[in-house]
Amino acid sequence: MLDLRQYQSLQEALRDALETFRNHVCLIESDRGRERHRLTYGQFREQAQPLARALQDAGLGAEPDPTAPANRAAILMTNQSRWLLAAYAIHSSGGVLVPLDYKLTGREQLALLAHSQARYLITEWFLWQQITRSEGFADFRPRCVVVTDAPADAELCGAVRWEEFVARGAGREPVFRPRRRSDWACIVYSSGTGGRPKGCVLTHDNYLEQCWSLTRWYPFWPGVRYLSILPTNHAIDFMVGYIGPFVCGAAVVHLRTLRPEFVREAFVTYRITYVSLVPMVLKNLERGLRQRLQELSPLQRRLFAGLVGLNRALTRDRPRPWLSRRLLPSIHRAFGGELRAIIVGGAFSDPQTLQFFYDLGIPVANGYGLTEACTAVTVNNLKPFRADTVGQPLPGVEVRIVDPDADGIGEVAVRGRNVMSHYLNDPELTAETIRDGWLYTGDLGRLDPDGHLRLFGRKKNMIVTAGGKNIYPEDVEAFFEGLPVKEFCIFAANYIWPARTLGDEQLVLVVRPEPEPEQTGREALHRELAARNRRLLDYKRVHGYLVWTHDFPRTVSMKIKRDVLAAEIRAAVERSAVVPL
Amino acid sequence: MRTVEQTLEEILNLAAEHFRVPRGQLSPDDDFFKALRLDSLQALELLTRLEQHFGVELPDYEFQGVTDFRTLADRIQARL
């Protein structure tokens, strides 16, 4: 692995990686078991260079101020090798990368493009089509849009095909523009597509330090094959599916079709070493495995349980992959036989699920992180494995509990070189979130005497779904605009009624009806709420509503004082008063 | 060769049968995530079922952002 401490910017480290590991496999892209691309680090460089040159010809990186909007370029793509080629081309040109979530709607993409002020967009034709048909497209004025996967007869709406664009830069060496550690590397949106976009500005120092500390606990090396399933725009995959493997010379495997049958096949075909998953997918895997175990005969089941028990006893202090593979060969064969760990993050993981996999000899590296802290704050280093905590702070990262109660539980604050610079264009929110160098996470936790962090809920008004999506109630409120009520507001249920758990988080709609409503009015309201709720995507739906008959407390500028309202509700009614929708 | 209307009709029938929703509740411009109450994994299951029915391959990336039956039918029609 490269010594990251000697580099000033990501592009310098990555450039050296492409040279150092030039003969090692860097990227494999497969679609339905058919391999479409296989690139060595040397070939990756050859393919990225003309793209960088073409971007530079279009003006990327030329502004003297490295943070200027004209130096910002967005990537909006599903996981594929061109995602990483584009990222390298943007950074090596001196650009600031804005990774966008391909699962958002076209309108949401446009809102984030406008907020980030990115002047360049590299995307897929099908996603581009979604944008061009969205309200607000007429106001989008990029310098250049490059699209991949466009059918021959596609209407490109001003975009340029990837192949044509790359050909423009062929045969000419791009200018390599290094940056300083304190310069911006990426603007990553943690949430806020509706009300207040939260664009985390992460520096080269953030990424280099975070990568250095993560790879001390979870090293990659040439020969490691990482299966990239989580979207690369997500902080976890960007780090462990790009920066981490690249600076160590490992290979990244992309699948263009993520159906369960092809994912299963990829584990075996490519003998995957690491994979990252969100808890929801891990839970599905567990369900599938349990189902298969149920199909065994009673005798086979007893035998299997005995082997699992033996494996658990022999791996209590640390994982012993070779031993586990011999004890439980059929399980390990199904995962390709070389899986060393599943990295899980983005949301709360059920300790029982983590233990289930560990007992089978498949360690789950569960941790805790947030985009504001680059990727990870704590990770379980498996020495020994603990399912009940989210691990210990990574090297170089400090965690403290602010104002702990009698049980030692308080807000988790984080300090370290992984903490973002600021929120883009939002000094007020930045000042609220980062104080005296400490990032206030809004999550509640407790540190064990041995330094392990346990999480107990949230102080902030938000939820994280099992699929790893951050949902801010303010963002869902827009879908209820125009309700026939005097006023309304959405809360995370645990914000009103604090619960010391992070599983199964829900949203609650609080409505203040017009004065003296008739019963029929209430019924109509219920129907209206249920109808609107049905129109929302499942993960944005509110769990239920609460009728509140007092005026909402408001600031002088008429903003709802959410904390005061939550306290009033808490003092007056129980959570059971919520009417399910 | 099917017309796009026939393709659409077949998709609606198949979705209703596979996810056990009364056919009368589904219409072409419905958001299928909401009408069928699908999560992202079930949406992939729907694509696999449609591939088997129409005998074509439907790459995931072509269906990013597709949420209504009509657009789904258009995309499938382009591959028939």
Side-chain angles (χ1 to χ4, degrees), chain A residues 273-285:
Chain A
T273 323
Y274 292 121
V275 64
S276 300
L277 300 173
V278 289
M280 185 176 68
V281 176
L282 192 69
K283 195 88 198 163
N284 278 336
L285 264 181

Side-chain angles (χ1 to χ4, degrees), chain A residues 95-110:
Chain A
V96 175
L97 169 61
V98 183
L100 293 177
D101 181 356
Y102 63 78
K103 292 186 177 171
L104 298 178
T105 65
R107 208 173 148 186
E108 289 171 327
Q109 311 286 9
L110 282 166

Side-chain angles (χ1 to χ4, degrees), chain A residues 366-367 378-381 386 389-393 447 451-454:
Chain A
N366 63 318
T378 63
V379 181
N380 201 313
N381 68 2
R386 284 183 58 180
T389 80
V390 289
Q392 293 164 304
L447 280 170
H452 274 254
L453 179 68
R454 281 186 69 175

Side-chain angles (χ1 to χ4, degrees), chain A residues 32 34 78 102 124 126-127 129-130 149 256-259 261 284 534-538 541, chain B residues 31 33-34 37-41 44 47-48 51 57-62 64-66 71 75:
Chain A
R32 293 165 189 270
R34 295 186 295 261
T78 56
Y102 63 78
E124 292 170 10
F126 293 94
L127 294 165
Q129 214 184 13
Q130 187 185 325
D149 306 290
R256 296 306 311 273
T257 302
L258 282 176
R259 314 283 164 80
E261 60 271 31
N284 278 336
R534 268 199 303 275
R535 289 200 291 271
L536 285 170
L537 287 176
D538 56 348
R541 285 190 191 133
Chain B
D31 180 328
F33 281 96
K34 293 165 194 164
R37 305 209 120 197
L38 303 184
D39 60 30
S40 49
L41 286 176
L44 291 180
L47 282 186
T48 302
E51 284 181 339
E57 287 188 359
L58 308 172
D60 290 358
Y61 60 87
E62 281 194 17
Q64 284 303 327
V66 177
T71 314
R75 295 276 163 89

